Amino acid sequence: MRLMHSAVVMAITVLSMPVAQAASLASASVSGLTFTLIDLDPNDGITSSFSFMNTAGSTAFTLSASDTSLAETESASSSRAGTFSFTRDQWLSLTNTSVQGVINSEELSVSGAANGLGTSFSGSATTGSSSPYYYYDTPRNLSLSANSLLLIDANYDLVAEASNAQSCSGGYYYYYPCTASESATATVSSSLSYNYSTGYISASYNGTESRSLQSLATGAYTSYTYSYDPYGYYYNPIYTQVPAAEQFKQESGTLRSVFSNSSDMTQSASFYLSASVTGQAMTAAVPEPSTYALMLLGLGGIGWVVSRQRRQA
């Protein structure tokens, strides 16, 4: 209970920070993987079952942080054979940008924050077998008994915020608006692939369930159009002040994949999960580097609390 209270406090701290504290902020996580088994033919004498094989597929993460104005870059990556095959909590922190990746048996999560001229981050965490069924050597990490249906659900949480955009420069904008200087993207996905043919029954499936958020921030600028006289000639320009625009987006939900085996034999499938974030900023840095640690810890706290509540429900 004390741990949960601390996580809630960190989450509230992040959500109450002023917009100038991070020009780009993103978080993506997948957790709470569950399997629901349904017997399609209770009278066939076959007990429905499934197997999730951790030895097949692979697990990997890649993190990168960059600050071109200070000539700082850092990256890290790791991969192992097998699904959910290793545990890692990796952190990269530069002066004005940070990124974190977490992989364990219960979740995949990545998060990042950037605030400074020419700062950016990217991160991804993946596990499972991603190749479609039609590749001959595709490793299969799921098997399902005859006449059975398997529902595969994974909870996801996404956050993307872009703020504190710099004012546009270079005069007035006519046909096109000022382009976004800050951006953040968070994406999660699950994919399932299988193919079988026995007797008169055959089936093939290769599908991906994906969710993505993108936030953009645009600085204030002046736009203009012309008024015309009765003869169709330009008369006077009409100037319009367009205010700065910021975006904060958040989404939680469930990714579902369905493995259906209507044959009279055990069949196999390939299952894959991924989470990724990217972000970039052009605004001059405002907070101390320690602020990013609080931000990412807060995002992690949000995901931890949501995941724990789901497991207890």
Side-chain angles (χ1 to χ4, degrees):
M1 184 63 69
R2 189 173 300 170
L3 246 176
M4 180 175 289
H5 174 74
S6 299
V8 172
V9 170
M10 287 187 292
I12 294 173
T13 300
V14 171
L15 295 176
S16 63
M17 286 178 176
V19 294
Q21 295 226 338
S24 177
L25 183 68
S27 174
S29 66
V30 182
S31 62
L33 187 64
T34 59
F35 301 89
T36 303
L37 185 63
I38 299 173
D39 192 341
L40 297 178
D41 187 0
N43 300 316
D44 62 0
I46 301 174
T47 301
S48 291
S49 63
F50 77 94
S51 178
F52 188 48
M53 296 165 283
N54 294 79
T55 55
S58 62
T59 300
F61 78 86
T62 302
L63 304 175
S64 177
S66 175
D67 187 334
T68 57
S69 64
L70 297 179
E72 296 179 350
T73 60
E74 192 169 353
S75 61
S77 63
S78 185
S79 64
R80 301 285 188 278
T83 302
F84 288 112
S85 55
F86 69 95
T87 297
R88 188 66 54 84
D89 187 341
Q90 183 77 41
W91 172 275
L92 302 181
S93 182
L94 303 181
T95 303
N96 295 312
T97 183
S98 298
V99 63
Q100 182 183 23
V102 177
I103 292 179
N104 56 48
S105 60
E106 296 183 349
E107 72 167 321
L108 301 176
S109 70
V110 284
S111 54
N115 183 24
L117 184 63
T119 57
S120 63
F121 63 85
S122 64
S124 67
T126 63
T127 193
S129 178
S130 61
S131 299
Y133 63 82
Y134 43 76
Y135 286 103
Y136 178 76
D137 58 349
T138 298
R140 308 294 178 94
N141 53 3
L142 271 177
S143 65
L144 180 62
S145 61
N147 297 315
S148 299
L149 184 75
L150 186 64
L151 305 179
I152 310 164
D153 293 320
N155 300 321
Y156 72 87
D157 296 283
L158 297 172
V159 174
E161 180 177 12
S163 59
N164 197 30
Q166 63 181 3
S167 296
C168 293
S169 60
Y172 299 113
Y173 290 79
Y174 180 30
Y175 293 107
Y176 303 101
C178 173
T179 58
S181 59
E182 331 296 313
S183 65
T185 303
T187 304
V188 292
S189 67
S190 67
S191 63
L192 181 71
S193 177
Y194 60 87
N195 179 49
Y196 61 82
S197 180
T198 59
Y200 297 102
I201 298 175
S202 62
S204 63
Y205 177 80
N206 182 36
T208 298
E209 187 82 3
S210 181
R211 298 290 185 274
S212 184
L213 295 180
Q214 183 182 50
S215 290
L216 303 173
T218 305
Y221 65 96
T222 301
S223 179
Y224 68 93
T225 58
Y226 284 101
S227 61
Y228 297 87
D229 63 20
Y231 303 101
Y233 293 102
Y234 290 135
Y235 190 59
N236 289 319
I238 301 174
Y239 297 98
T240 303
Q241 300 297 320
V242 181
E246 301 176 344
Q247 290 183 327
F248 173 82
K249 298 178 182 180
Q250 186 174 16
E251 182 181 320
S252 298
T254 302
L255 300 172
R256 167 165 285 187
S257 299
V258 181
F259 184 9
S260 178
N261 180 11
S262 55
S263 74
D264 57 359
M265 299 176 59
T266 296
Q267 303 295 341
S268 59
S270 300
F271 180 68
Y272 183 76
L273 286 172
S274 69
S276 64
V277 293
T278 61
Q280 66 175 11
M282 294 299 295
T283 304
V286 174
E288 294 295 325
S290 59
T291 301
Y292 297 118
L294 289 175
M295 287 178 182
L296 297 186
L297 284 173
L299 287 171
I302 293 172
W304 184 86
V305 170
V306 172
S307 177
R308 183 179 178 87
Q309 288 176 341
R310 283 171 172 161
R311 289 197 296 270
Q312 291 178 343

